[in-house]
Amino acid sequence: MRKQIVAGNWKMNKTFIEAEDLLNDLKQLLENSKHGNTLVVVCPPNIYLELSTDISDEFQVFDVGAQNVCNIEFGAHTGEVSAPMLFSMDVKYCIIGHSERRSNFYEDNQLISGKVGVALKNKITPIFCCGEQISERKAENHFNIIKTQVDEGLFNLDKDDFVKVVMAYEPVWAIGTGVTATPEQAQEMHKYIRSLIEKKYGTDIAGQTTILYGGSCNSKNAKELFANPDVDGGLIGGASLNAEEFVKIVQSF
Ligand code: PGA
């Protein structure tokens, strides 16, 4: 059985007090909620990682992920945060290849591949994001775009490393727009991604790989999305900023 995961990507939101409140609310709700084997990951801004791992280490109701990592391990890189630093703070996951980093910070597949490598080397699980723009889908080029992102960003890994990766399909047109992929569109792409993994790494590994859906996923549509055979959870942006809403999504399997 592959892992089911619901991860919250807070992006650049919340002041310190708000972050503290949200973490405490999440802790309380998750302690009192039934959510089977679903793993919960909280990805706050870096500045709140220690606050988050303190709570996660003590109460173990969620794991903590970063939203980004430097592709270099140490040195003169002002403003960057490295994988060894994240590991030393008990951070278990890191979002890599998010579309906002690809477009706003010009991250290409080669850089993303470097980040995946450095995360794995430091025992951080990459949550590798891929997704097409609306124009690419309209031009019926979406499968090719995903294939290139995955080929160039991820498929240089050997089997032993690849099995540690979590993937996330996030159509760019669905992120923060309120327009969600239909369950059929999500399933179609997740199935395709799994077929790519199967070709590259074999049936067993394809069957084990967790593939999350992201893009305007909320407590109203999560059930329908997660019911698909190849959708193993969600990467949640806006809806992860409210504890009740996020925990409802966690309970949507
Ligand atoms: P959204 O963001 O849920 O706000 O659409 C998802 C993401 O960017 O990870």
Side-chain angles (χ1 to χ4, degrees), residues 7-11 95 98-100 129 168 170-172 174-179 213-218 234-241:
N9 174 11
W10 293 10
K11 309 192 181 184
I95 299 170
H98 191 280
S99 71
E100 286 150 21
C129 303
E170 297 206 306
V172 180
I175 295 178
T177 58
V179 180
Y213 168 79
S216 297
C217 182
N218 58 41
L235 180 54
I236 317 298
S240 72
L241 297 173

Side-chain angles (χ1 to χ4, degrees), residues 30-92:
L30 289 168
E31 271 181 337
N32 298 313
S33 99
K34 286 204 175 68
H35 47 276
N37 295 324
T38 305
L39 297 174
V40 180
V41 180
V42 175
C43 304
N46 282 345
I47 198 164
Y48 309 136
L49 283 173
E50 186 178 8
L51 186 67
S52 307
T53 54
D54 279 352
I55 294 177
S56 113
D57 288 350
E58 188 174 349
F59 300 99
Q60 318 222 320
V61 283
F62 54 75
D63 279 323
V64 177
Q67 298 174 15
N68 185 28
V69 66
C70 185
N71 61 316
I72 297 163
E73 284 184 290
F74 57 87
H77 303 284
T78 302
E80 289 292 281
V81 168
S82 74
M85 292 176 193
L86 295 178
F87 179 72
S88 73
M89 301 284 293
D90 280 346
V91 172
K92 303 269 190 318

Side-chain angles (χ1 to χ4, degrees), residues 178-202:
V179 180
T180 317
T182 63
E184 294 74 26
Q185 286 171 324
Q187 169 58 22
E188 183 185 40
M189 187 57 87
H190 282 230
K191 191 173 168 198
Y192 175 68
I193 293 170
R194 209 175 294 288
S195 77
L196 296 176
I197 304 168
E198 186 169 0
K199 262 190 223 132
K200 173 82 183 168
Y201 296 104

